[in-house]
Amino acid sequence: MLRLPGGTFRMGNEDETANPGDGEGPVREVAVEPFLIDAHAVSNARFAAFVKATGHVTDAEKFGWSYVFAGLLPPGTADAFPAPAGTPWWRGVPGATWRAPEGPGSTIQGRERHPVVHVSWNDAVAYAAWAGRRLPTEAEWEYAARGGLDQARYPWGDELTPRGHWRCNIWQGEFPHVNTAEDGHVGTAPVDAYRPNAYGLYNVVGNVWEWNADWWAEGDTRVMRGGSYLCHDSYCNRYRVSARTKNTPDSSSGNTGFRCAAD
């Protein structure tokens, strides 16, 4: 974990990149106390150790299914699974869990250093309690993700690909059918892929969404931050440090994980 000094920073965003309805703005000064935060998201290996020690059963395992991106399923199989209204690139796959990210027959072998996925907010809180940690607040997460930069769009500055180099794992090409994988990854990347920000945090944008401790304004969903490998400017430019979204605490998908914090 990394020890951050805390302090006051300008949180949020209200420029042309902000998503209406996401509540990114207004920009406001927020103070955070010193805290610890994981340098990277919790990996499959770390989550496996937790499950071995506690016997924890994830919400996806209890429900018997989870959402998988259709493009990661074996060719010709996606149409066998239901798609939610409005997001046809997702499929509800029976047996998709953190151990089998694309459903039965898939495995995390070779992906031990990738972020654990198909974990709900409830699962993340359970892991954090076992590890003697907690989930970061939304203010802590954004403070850490900014890496000391004031109002920069990304953890490294305002340019998405400085000097032509990819600094995060997002979608390139035409979403949702063509992914050129110019950043080197089609699905998840290792938790320590790419260069960290100035505070030493890896992959705070792209790769996987990260659960935060906070409730969304309505009070029945929890905040998620950072975007994922499926984010693309054409429909979801939420791979920015101020961007946010939400989901119910028992929801899971193949692009959602978490990192921990501590006092």
Side-chain angles (χ1 to χ4, degrees):
M1 301 193 87
L2 304 167
R3 167 68 68 178
L4 301 187
T8 301
F9 76 106
R10 291 201 295 166
M11 183 174 178
N13 173 44
E14 48 193 348
D15 69 16
E16 70 281 359
T17 65
N19 287 295
D22 280 0
E24 291 185 42
V27 175
R28 64 274 188 198
E29 286 199 351
V30 174
V32 295
E33 296 296 319
F35 66 102
L36 293 160
I37 191 164
D38 284 342
H40 50 68
V42 173
S43 66
N44 282 315
R46 288 170 63 187
F47 198 79
F50 156 65
V51 170
K52 182 178 180 180
T54 65
H56 179 82
V57 178
T58 63
D59 280 332
E61 291 170 299
K62 294 173 186 175
F63 293 139
W65 67 278
S66 186
Y67 283 116
V68 178
F69 176 63
L72 296 179
L73 294 170
T77 64
D79 290 342
F81 307 110
T87 54
W89 47 85
W90 285 112
R91 294 292 189 273
V93 177
T97 70
W98 72 272
R99 291 186 179 91
E102 292 78 50
S106 64
T107 177
I108 58 171
Q109 186 174 357
R111 288 187 274 183
E112 291 84 359
R113 291 284 299 168
H114 286 228
V116 64
V117 293
H118 297 297
V119 285
S120 68
W121 185 90
N122 298 324
D123 300 323
V125 168
Y127 173 94
W130 170 77
R133 303 174 183 180
R134 58 177 174 80
L135 293 184
T137 67
E138 192 172 7
E140 288 172 337
W141 189 96
E142 185 169 327
Y143 169 86
R146 289 189 176 277
L149 298 179
D150 178 45
Q151 286 292 290
R153 187 167 295 172
Y154 308 112
W156 54 85
D158 289 320
E159 188 179 355
L160 179 58
T161 54
R163 298 183 180 178
H165 297 295
W166 285 99
R167 298 287 299 275
C168 62
N169 178 19
I170 58 175
W171 188 281
Q172 294 92 47
E174 253 180 75
F175 187 86
H177 301 297
V178 179
N179 186 354
T180 62
E182 291 175 16
D183 59 23
H185 302 280
V186 174
T188 57
V191 294
D192 54 357
Y194 309 101
R195 292 169 55 186
N197 72 3
Y199 284 166
L201 279 78
Y202 293 86
N203 294 326
V204 278
V205 295
N207 216 22
V208 294
W209 284 100
E210 298 183 7
W211 289 110
N212 282 194
D214 301 55
W215 288 105
W216 193 264
E218 289 85 354
D220 59 349
T221 53
R222 295 285 185 174
V223 173
M224 302 191 301
R225 287 297 208 111
S228 81
Y229 60 86
L230 294 178
C231 281
H232 185 264
D233 188 55
S234 66
Y235 92 102
C236 174
N237 68 336
R238 293 184 178 90
Y239 44 91
R240 298 170 290 106
V241 290
S242 63
R244 56 203 300 266
T245 193
K246 60 184 177 179
N247 214 335
T248 56
D250 59 358
S251 294
S252 64
S253 67
N255 69 337
T256 304
F258 67 101
R259 77 179 70 210
C260 293
D263 298 317

